[in-house]
Each structure stands twice: as structure tokens, then as C-alpha cells.
Amino acid sequence: MKVAHIAALRPRQWTKNLVVFAAPLFSFSINLQSFLGSLLAFVLFCCASSSFYLLNDIADVESDRQHPVKCKRPIAAGLVSIPVALGMALVLLSSAVIIAYLRSPGLGATITIYAILQVAYNLRLKRMVILDIGAIATGFVLRAYAGFAATGAVISYWFLLCTAMLALFLAVEKRKAELRLSQLTGGKTRSILKRYSLPLLSRMENVVTTGAVMTYALWSSGPQVRGASTPWMLLTLPFVLYGIFRYQFLSDPEEIARRSEDNQLEIGGRSERPEEVLLTDPSILLTVVGWVFTVFGILWLKHQGMIR
């Protein structure tokens, strides 16, 4: 397989599927079996999501060629032919569904629902205002649920709710970045962008940001609200707050202009690609690492009986 064919799978966006590993962590089911189950769910979602990236790039090949950034994608650039891309997509999706059902009916159903959602999104939902954002967020919730289905962990509804709020936040940020970029280029590369405005998206962002912080704070406050097994998880809240604020800071138009006037269009689109922010911003990377180490530290201390 050539480099262009691998790039067409958008491996950078596989970071979105890492949410499946958080499911056993939030339900405190941390062992080798849960890790292997989460790893399988991660691989299957990478296959399924990449199949739809391919199908989406095939469907949007003409509009992508008019986009200042997306025109470099392998299919839009002509590096991968449409028949080959279609074959890759069918193999990846069918393999993911079959293996998922062999693992567990719950995991198979989750990936099937994800596939149906993606078909609906590409055919209709991405052109329906507000529902397009909801569809993107639902994809993240399904990934989160897959972590429970693959490992047999006890479902944490706080975790699913918090995932939904964070996913809505990222989806709104994605639309904001796309809209700003289209305004800079003088045209709208997505028809749905005609229905949005920056003030509207900013108000939506405020609502989901508040929801994300509140749901995480309630979960981390401890067992009294059927959340985490220890209220010491509140120590992880600053990492979540900083991560959200840092992402908003990086997507702020004035900060974009300060960082690079010569390459403003390219950087202006970064927050429509959250995986690039995660992989390239040192502060957010350190925040994620700090959150992970703090969580494991608290769980280890609790296991040792040093804290309640």
C-alpha cells in the first residue's frame, strides 16, 4: 500500500477513537482484559471511520478541490483513484462489522449503528442545520459506548453524558473554523455553512462548554452522586478546564492572526481538525498526559487504602 493510500485513511483522525480506552477507566475496570477489549474496539473503529472518510472524500471530491486545505487530500489530489478508494472502504467496513459481532453483539450493534449514522450524515444530516452537529457528537458517544461493550465494564452514564458535551463542543468548534475559513476565502465550501453565523455558534459553544464542565465536575465529585469512586478525582478537574480553555484560545481569530499572518488560511482551519491540535500543541499534550497520570495516581492511592 502506497503512502497516499494510507494518508487517505486519515490516520491522524484515529485519535478520536482513543475515547474507547476511557470507558473502562471511568468505570474503574482497569486490567489486561479490559485493555485488550478496548484495543480491539479502537482498531475496529479506526477501520470503520476510515471507510467513511474514504466514502466522504469520494462524495465531496469536487468541493474538496475548491478548499484551500482539503484539496491536498489524496483522492481530491488524484493520488488515489475513486474505484480503489471505494474498494478499500468496503473491505474496511465489512471487516469491522463482522469482527465486532464475533467479539460481542453489543459491540457489533454499536459499530452497525455508527455505520448507519455515517450513511445518514453523508446523505442528508450534514446539510441539516444543528442536526449535523448532533450527528458528529453522536459518533463520539457511540465510540465511548463501544469501550463498555468491548470490555463488559459497568456503564458510567456520567461518562457518556460528559463525552456528549465535549463532542458537541468540538463539533461547534469545527463549524466555527470552517465558517471563518470560508469567510476568508470568499466562499462557503459546505452548503450548511450558509445557515450558521459566528454569533450563533459562539452562543452554542457557551452552552455545551458549561455542560461539559458541569457533567465532569459532578462525575468527579464522588460516589454521592453515583460518579467516581472517590471525590479525589476533583483534582483532575483543572486539567479538563485548562484543556477546554486552551483549545478555545487556539481557535480564537485574534490568536490565529498573531501566530501566523502569512499562513493564516491554513492555521485558520486547525480547529476544524481537532486531531491536529491534540498532536501538535505541546500544552494540550501535556494537559492530557497530566490528566492520565493524575487519574492513575489517585486510583493507585485508593487501591493502597491511602485515600477514600
Side-chain angles (χ1 to χ4, degrees):
M1 184 177 290
K2 298 180 180 179
V3 174
H5 292 78
I6 297 176
L9 301 179
R10 302 194 206 174
R12 279 178 172 266
Q13 299 210 27
W14 291 347
T15 54
K16 298 175 183 177
N17 301 321
L18 290 172
V19 69
V20 301
F21 288 99
L25 180 62
F26 272 68
S27 61
F28 306 103
S29 300
I30 304 173
N31 50 56
L32 180 60
Q33 182 179 359
S34 64
F35 172 77
L36 293 176
S38 297
L39 182 61
L40 176 62
F42 172 77
V43 172
L44 295 180
F45 257 96
C46 288
C47 292
S49 59
S50 288
S51 71
F52 283 102
Y53 294 146
L54 290 167
L55 293 174
N56 185 61
D57 286 352
I58 292 172
D60 295 342
V61 63
E62 294 301 327
S63 61
D64 284 353
R65 286 169 178 165
Q66 308 301 319
H67 193 280
V69 178
K70 296 179 181 179
C71 64
K72 299 176 183 178
R73 289 177 176 173
I75 297 176
L79 300 176
V80 176
S81 67
I82 290 179
V84 170
L86 182 60
M88 292 169 59
L90 293 177
V91 170
L92 288 171
L93 182 58
S94 59
S95 300
V97 172
I98 292 171
I99 295 174
Y101 272 109
L102 291 175
R103 170 67 182 186
S104 73
L107 181 59
T110 302
I111 292 186
T112 301
I113 294 171
Y114 173 81
I116 294 172
L117 174 68
Q118 293 305 307
V119 171
Y121 177 79
N122 288 319
L123 292 180
R124 181 63 178 168
L125 293 179
K126 69 179 182 180
R127 291 182 287 275
M128 299 180 69
V129 66
I130 299 177
L131 292 181
D132 63 319
I133 292 177
I136 294 173
T138 302
F140 279 94
V141 175
L142 289 172
R143 289 176 172 92
Y145 182 82
F148 294 108
T151 61
V154 178
I155 296 176
S156 170
Y157 293 103
W158 281 119
F159 169 64
L160 293 178
L161 185 58
C162 184
T163 300
M165 293 294 103
L166 286 172
L168 284 169
F169 167 77
L170 292 175
V172 171
E173 284 289 334
K174 177 180 174 68
R175 286 292 181 260
K176 282 180 63 179
E178 290 173 336
L179 182 57
R180 284 199 307 269
L181 196 58
S182 69
Q183 291 175 346
L184 288 171
T185 58
K188 291 180 170 60
T189 56
R190 287 181 184 267
S191 59
I192 191 63
L193 295 179
K194 299 176 182 178
R195 309 292 300 277
Y196 286 111
S197 68
L198 290 178
L200 170 63
L201 290 169
S202 294
R203 291 194 296 271
M204 294 171 67
E205 178 189 28
N206 290 336
V207 172
V208 296
T209 302
T210 302
V213 173
M214 289 300 298
T215 52
Y216 187 86
L218 286 169
W219 171 81
S220 60
S221 61
Q224 290 185 339
V225 292
R226 296 185 179 180
S229 63
T230 170
W232 283 94
M233 282 293 176
L234 281 169
L235 292 176
T236 65
L237 181 59
F239 293 103
V240 174
L241 287 170
Y242 180 81
I244 291 175
F245 293 157
R246 176 69 181 178
Y247 195 98
Q248 290 179 314
F249 171 74
L250 293 174
S251 66
D252 182 72
E254 294 186 7
E255 177 61 18
I256 292 171
R258 282 192 295 268
R259 283 173 171 261
S260 179
E261 295 181 1
D262 296 332
N263 199 26
Q264 189 171 356
L265 294 183
E266 168 65 16
I267 297 181
R270 282 185 65 199
S271 56
E272 71 174 283
R273 304 186 298 275
E275 69 283 352
E276 290 195 11
V277 177
L278 176 63
L279 293 173
T280 59
D281 184 69
S283 295
I284 289 185
L285 276 173
L286 287 173
T287 300
V288 173
V289 172
W291 180 86
V292 170
F293 273 95
T294 303
V295 167
F296 275 100
I298 292 171
L299 292 179
W300 182 81
L301 290 173
K302 185 177 186 300
H303 180 74
Q304 297 297 316
M306 301 175 68
I307 59 174
R308 293 184 178 181

